[in-house]
């Protein structure tokens, strides 16, 4: 079972293959934003990897990060496009608290959406 460490929050066991955004919500109980519902469109689910950044990206993640000028920022990734299959340590970038948004967003689906095309 992979371990997810969230900076300033704690370390949590995460079911193998669970999406990172859902692990942040369910296991870590963090108010992670995900305004587009986990479809790699808005970048509100960004996290910064301290350790264990996955080497592969979905094409959707690559495209949206590049379009928002975030592609060159080392370690900045979309939690809705990452599967927990190894130990990771992240820092939360976008939380509901202080965002001014009425809610964090519609709960993302269990599977990567849109369907993953890995790069």
């Amino acid at each position: 079972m992979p371990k997810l460490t969230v900076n300033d929050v704690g370390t949590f066991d995460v079911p193998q293959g669970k999406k990172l955004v859902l692990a942040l919500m369910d296991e870590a109980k963090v108010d992670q934003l995900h305004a587009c519902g986990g479809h790699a469109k808005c970048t509100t689910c960004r996290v910064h990897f301290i350790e264990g950044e996955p080497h592969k990206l979905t094409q959707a993640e690559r495209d949206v990060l590049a379009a928002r000028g975030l592609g060159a920022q080392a370690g900045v990734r979309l939690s809705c496009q990452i599967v927990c299959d190894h130990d990771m340590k992240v820092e939360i970038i976008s939380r509901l608290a202080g965002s001014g948004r009425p809610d964090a967003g519609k709960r993302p689906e269990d599977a990567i959406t849109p369907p993953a095309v890995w790069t």
Side-chain angles (χ1 to χ4, degrees), residues 4-62:
L4 171 62
T5 301
V6 182
N7 215 29
D8 298 325
V9 178
T11 300
F12 310 90
D13 289 326
V14 177
Q16 180 75 20
K18 187 169 190 167
K19 284 192 341 185
L20 178 55
V21 67
L22 296 175
L24 291 169
M25 294 165 51
D26 298 343
E27 279 73 31
K29 307 293 187 215
V30 175
D31 60 339
Q32 172 70 53
L33 285 176
H34 49 280
C36 74
H39 290 102
K41 293 183 178 180
C42 69
T43 73
T44 61
C45 71
R46 296 184 315 281
V47 295
H48 177 256
F49 272 86
I50 299 167
E51 295 174 12
E53 179 178 356
H55 296 290
K56 61 183 183 177
L57 290 89
T58 65
Q59 187 64 50
E61 180 183 19
R62 182 180 303 276

Side-chain angles (χ1 to χ4, degrees), residues 90-112:
V90 299
E91 177 181 28
I92 304 300
I93 295 174
S94 303
R95 297 182 77 161
L96 177 60
S99 71
R101 294 179 178 269
D103 59 46
K106 178 184 171 193
R107 183 173 175 85
E109 296 175 28
D110 291 338
I112 299 282

